[in-house]
Amino acid sequence: MKRTAIASLLLSAAIPFLLPAALAQSAEPATSILFENVRIFDGKSDALSASMNVLVRGNRIEKISRDPISADRANTRTIPGDGRTLMPGLIDMHWHAMLVRPTVATLLAGDLGYLNLMAGAEAADTLMRGFTTVRDLGGPSFGLKRAIDEGIVPGPRIYPSGAIITVTSGHGDFRQPFELPRALGNTQSRGEQTGAAMVADSPDEVRVRAREQLLQGATQIKLTAGGGVASPHSPLDASTFTEAELRAAVEAAENWGTYVTVHAYTPVSIQRAIAAGVKCIEHGHLMDEPTARLIAEKGIWLSTQAFPDELAEVFPVGSLERYKALEVFAGTDRTFTLAKKYKIKTAFGTDILFSARLAQRQGELLSKFVRWYTPVETLIMATGTNAQLLELSGKRNPYSGKLGVVEEGALADLLLVNGDPIANIKLIENPAKNFVVIMKDGKVFKNTL
Ligand SMILES: [Zn+2]
């Protein structure tokens, strides 16, 4: 083949890849949808509204009115709310779309096509649990995101990070000793080839890896600043990246108009990340009081979760991983208490990994927050507040419009709930029964009325 022919082939292959996903999903559905007689939880207020009517046109909420809305009946589908609750779609700020279902072994040895199909099926289930948006904090989810945005498979909106960036021996480095030593230019490990995690051991390497994720459409960059539970080589107390390495990622992200978030449990790893300009801390379960004060003073986000105790059971009794899991879980209550005491900007995410069974309990992991927050505070966190953190992606935000709220002009990601979730937050634990309508981007994905 002549070089020009190859070049034009490459070009034609590259053009659709570069089309912003938002363009692909801006096509308006033929009909408008009118929700009649609904009480609204708007993602911000602490009480339901009186009975309202809500008109969705295209992918936006066009009008909210106490009075009947006169819409062009021929092109408008009416959904009778009968006093049910209309609320924003839920947002999970710590998700791994590609890593929810496979085991670690399947992930590292598995065929990529198989992993993608598994992730597609999980994405459909995620949406059917009422999660209309996820922030993906590690894993090769760019293709899945594109397929969802193009309507090829149903699923939530995805804010992808791409590969987790880690250091040699850090959280996310699953290599075996026989794969050492690593030399620049050598074949990458399987985890790196799949785009699940990238190892970087200097500011320059961090810059390359961060920019590679941005090239692929990352909406934020994720690094692991300290040790982790599931990783074979990283002690929990380890601080991994140096401040200079963290700063290299922050510079690359900020030059691209977005931000860095880090996995960090310990005071040292959290404080070092903040000094380097990181805007969000994931987990934080082993923080102390001065660190909580620092997070609050600097206006840093804390994206965290109450890991269920059963999660430790996936690790064998007596294993180091199980010991590490229990050490992290023991810090949960203290972390939430400090977050409340210092009024830290707190976001909700689940971080469900390697367990299709646990994924089915995604909503339950949210309702567990009522141990520390009121039901309405919990619901606001998973909708309006989480959406504020998404806005840190700035111009890298792939979905223009407001998420996490029910208000005129906002994107129409909506759940119609059988009952009042403020009075009974346990309703969200059974989405199959209680979410009677699930809408994303103005399109109805479920309607059992
Ligand atoms: Zn995670």
Side-chain angles (χ1 to χ4, degrees), residues 94-96 137 164 171 222 263 283 351 353:
H94 195 126
W95 194 241
H96 296 276
L137 288 187
I164 295 163
H171 182 45
K222 157 86 178 290
H263 159 108
H283 316 307
D351 198 17
L353 285 167

Side-chain angles (χ1 to χ4, degrees), residues 86-341:
L86 191 72
M87 64 174 282
L90 298 166
I91 302 172
D92 191 327
M93 294 303 278
H94 195 126
W95 194 241
H96 296 276
M98 299 299 295
L99 314 181
V100 174
R101 286 203 185 176
T103 61
V104 175
T106 310
L107 179 72
L108 295 178
D111 175 86
L112 271 185
Y114 175 65
L115 290 171
N116 275 300
L117 289 165
M118 209 182 230
E122 176 53 43
D125 284 1
T126 305
L127 182 60
M128 287 303 108
R129 291 192 293 268
F131 285 84
T132 50
T133 299
V134 298
R135 190 174 60 141
D136 192 289
L137 288 187
S141 64
F142 299 115
L144 176 66
K145 175 195 186 299
R146 181 179 168 186
I148 291 170
D149 289 345
E150 291 177 355
I152 295 168
V153 288
R157 301 176 191 273
I158 297 180
Y159 284 71
S161 305
I164 295 163
I165 303 173
T166 187
V167 299
T168 291
S169 83
H171 182 45
D173 179 3
F174 283 91
R175 287 175 302 168
Q176 300 294 319
F178 71 79
E179 293 176 87
L180 304 181
R182 178 175 74 102
L184 293 180
N186 278 7
T187 310
Q188 291 176 319
S189 68
R190 178 66 183 160
E192 290 176 301
Q193 286 171 11
T194 61
M198 290 289 178
V199 174
D201 286 310
S202 69
D204 288 343
E205 271 201 283
V206 169
R207 233 185 310 275
V208 172
R209 297 313 178 209
R211 286 173 178 164
E212 284 171 350
Q213 308 318 309
L214 294 165
L215 177 153
Q216 295 174 86
T219 53
Q220 65 286 320
I221 295 296
K222 157 86 178 290
L223 275 69
T224 54
V229 169
S231 291
H233 317 299
S234 72
L236 275 186
D237 59 280
S239 307
T240 51
F241 286 106
T242 64
E243 192 176 317
E245 288 166 336
L246 290 163
R247 194 173 292 117
V250 168
E251 283 172 4
E254 290 186 354
N255 285 341
W256 224 243
T258 183
Y259 69 100
V260 171
T261 189
V262 296
H263 159 108
Y265 292 122
T266 63
V268 173
S269 59
I270 296 169
Q271 290 175 24
R272 188 181 296 168
I274 293 172
V278 166
K279 294 288 193 299
C280 181
I281 304 296
E282 303 300 320
H283 316 307
H285 289 71
L286 303 177
M287 75 166 75
D288 58 11
E289 190 125 9
T291 308
R293 202 178 300 125
L294 178 74
I295 293 173
E297 277 169 13
K298 299 276 185 185
I300 304 300
W301 282 87
L302 174 67
S303 159
T304 193
Q305 56 283 126
F307 289 116
D309 291 339
E310 306 89 283
L311 202 59
E313 288 161 17
V314 305
F315 306 111
V317 178
S319 68
L320 186 59
E321 286 85 351
R322 189 165 178 134
Y323 175 78
K324 290 199 287 187
L326 296 174
E327 193 180 340
V328 167
F329 299 172
T332 305
D333 184 53
R334 182 177 168 76
T335 296
F336 279 107
T337 305
L338 287 171
K340 284 198 77 175
K341 178 176 176 185

